[in-house]
Amino acid sequence: MAGSTARRRREEAKTEPKAPGEEAKPPHVPELLPAFPGLPLRIWMALLVLLVSAAAVILVSTWKPAEHPGKQTDFEVWASARRNLPDALQMKLALTGFGLCGIPRRGNRCARFVLDGVVPAAEVKELAELLQWLVSEAWGAGSGPPSVVDLHAETISYKDQRGVAVMTLKEKSELQQDNFVNLTMFMEFKSLKFTQKQVEAYSRVRQALRKQLSRLFGVPLEGLQHDMTFFSHINGSKTAQTTHDEYWHSHIDTEQYGTFAYTVLLYLNSADHDFDGGEFIFEESRGNGVVVPAAAVEPRAGRVVAFSSDAENPHKVLKVSRGVRMALTAAFTCSQEQAASIQSFPNPSMVEWSGTAAE
Ligand SMILES: O=C(O)CCC(=O)C(=O)O
Ligand SMILES: [Fe+2]
């Protein structure tokens, strides 16, 4: 490259000999610019540059990405609901160069992963049915679209209505804490028990997610402990009643929950098929509190999303416009103290044991 430029310069010097002291004359360009033949070439060149720049500005400001009917298009869809990811692992890291996640640092806390097929379909189905069963038994659970079931904290979202009205006031006050009821007391009240199959599926899935996370981020398994784990059930036909129901806001998990080091999401059902909307959006931080959508993951039964939980990964869930969206959020911590505060599941008295006891 450098050699050919030098050669061209030598040839130009040969073809345009100049007398000592003679000014270099601009070449004549009659066909190209016939209207103002008197203008010097550098003015023409400046005009040309201006024209090209203006055209580029207009082109960039009016360009819109190709639209898919009914879809938002201000972000790239990394993983669509219709297509299984070609490999078990799609290591589509944030390569946009913006925000703190601009340089993927696998093994150093800043990366985003989307995977399909790491949890057996039968176990995903078992968990989806478990969640649907509990929500149905709890008369639809929360009054707004999102209901949360936490098997460790023993809570399920609750609305004060029909079904619970059959309880005495004393039973109600024992059960209820804010928008939640105590799951164990509620299940006792309704004579419900977990099956051994449900308990085992839950435990295996949680362990599988932990192993995947350890592999993806290169964190030794022993260092990676379970933090909160909870199910979310978003019913698109309900209307938000309180600010707690507004699940669609952008957030950072460490700010929202306080302790997470890593967040793993497992989707229990699929966009398009079971519900509309509900895309998970990874955002990019542009500084000064400005976050912009960066990439969308459409939920698909069995799909896993894993990311480090701090400011490098702001995210949100888009509104669900039809159907019910179900997911498991499994958080992980590196703090032994935090891990020790998480209650184990199950309470053996809540399980209908069918054979050998679960680990
Ligand atoms: O359900 C999802 O896709 C994301 C949930 C989430 O952001 C959270 O639980 O903090
Ligand atoms: Fe979150």
Side-chain angles (χ1 to χ4, degrees), residues 19-279:
E22 190 190 337
E23 287 254 323
K25 284 197 190 108
H28 187 54
V29 281
E31 314 80 12
L32 194 62
L33 310 161
F36 305 99
L39 283 184
L41 179 65
R42 61 179 180 280
I43 304 284
W44 282 113
M45 293 310 281
L47 281 172
L48 198 66
V49 168
L50 261 174
L51 210 68
V52 170
S53 316
V57 167
I58 291 169
L59 208 70
V60 167
S61 61
T62 55
W63 181 81
K64 276 196 201 140
E67 294 201 358
H68 304 286
K71 297 270 179 200
Q72 285 189 247
T73 54
D74 51 353
F75 40 73
E76 182 193 353
V77 175
W78 279 2
S80 88
R82 302 226 173 132
R83 208 166 54 89
N84 200 31
L85 295 174
D87 307 310
L89 161 66
Q90 179 180 338
M91 255 212 290
K92 178 95 186 199
L93 307 177
L95 285 166
T96 56
F98 295 111
L100 293 172
C101 229
I103 306 158
R105 290 177 298 155
R106 190 169 177 208
N108 194 13
R109 284 184 51 83
C110 185
R112 302 165 170 188
F113 298 94
V114 186
L115 304 85
D116 279 340
V118 294
V119 175
E123 294 190 341
V124 173
K125 187 164 175 278
E126 188 70 45
L127 296 195
E129 286 170 3
L130 164 66
L131 176 59
Q132 194 51 59
W133 167 64
L134 289 173
V135 168
S136 307
E137 288 289 350
W139 305 284
S143 52
S147 294
V148 173
V149 177
D150 185 330
L151 300 178
H152 306 271
E154 298 184 8
T155 54
I156 182 166
S157 301
Y158 157 86
K159 61 175 176 289
D160 194 2
Q161 56 111 47
R162 268 186 312 127
V164 185
V166 299
M167 293 183 206
T168 64
L169 270 181
K170 182 172 173 293
E171 282 165 339
K172 258 188 180 179
S173 66
E174 279 169 356
L175 272 173
Q176 196 177 345
Q177 322 146 0
D178 297 325
N179 299 314
F180 292 95
V181 288
N182 179 287
L183 184 64
T184 306
M185 288 168 94
F186 162 75
M187 288 177 73
E188 274 168 1
F189 172 77
K190 291 205 77 180
S191 305
L192 305 174
K193 282 196 189 264
F194 294 109
T195 65
Q196 184 168 332
K197 202 163 163 234
Q198 288 170 331
V199 169
E200 286 172 353
Y202 180 75
S203 162
R204 271 200 299 268
V205 166
R206 217 160 153 251
Q207 286 315 319
L209 298 179
R210 180 165 169 241
K211 272 197 198 133
Q212 278 302 328
L213 190 65
S214 156
R215 186 177 74 82
L216 293 171
F217 283 86
V219 179
L221 205 57
E222 323 73 80
L224 209 53
Q225 306 292 323
H226 289 288
D227 200 314
M228 283 164 77
T229 308
F230 56 87
F231 291 99
S232 65
H233 178 284
I234 303 178
N235 186 337
S237 69
K238 292 187 189 173
T239 308
Q241 307 294 318
T242 69
T243 51
H244 295 295
D245 292 335
E246 297 181 1
Y247 60 87
W248 52 83
H249 294 297
S250 169
H251 64 276
I252 291 165
D253 284 350
T254 49
E255 288 173 9
Q256 176 126 325
Y257 305 103
T259 59
F260 300 5
Y262 299 95
T263 307
V264 180
L265 307 165
L266 168 69
Y267 294 109
L268 304 180
N269 64 354
S270 305
D272 291 353
H273 187 262
D274 302 300
F275 58 91
D276 289 331
E279 293 92 338

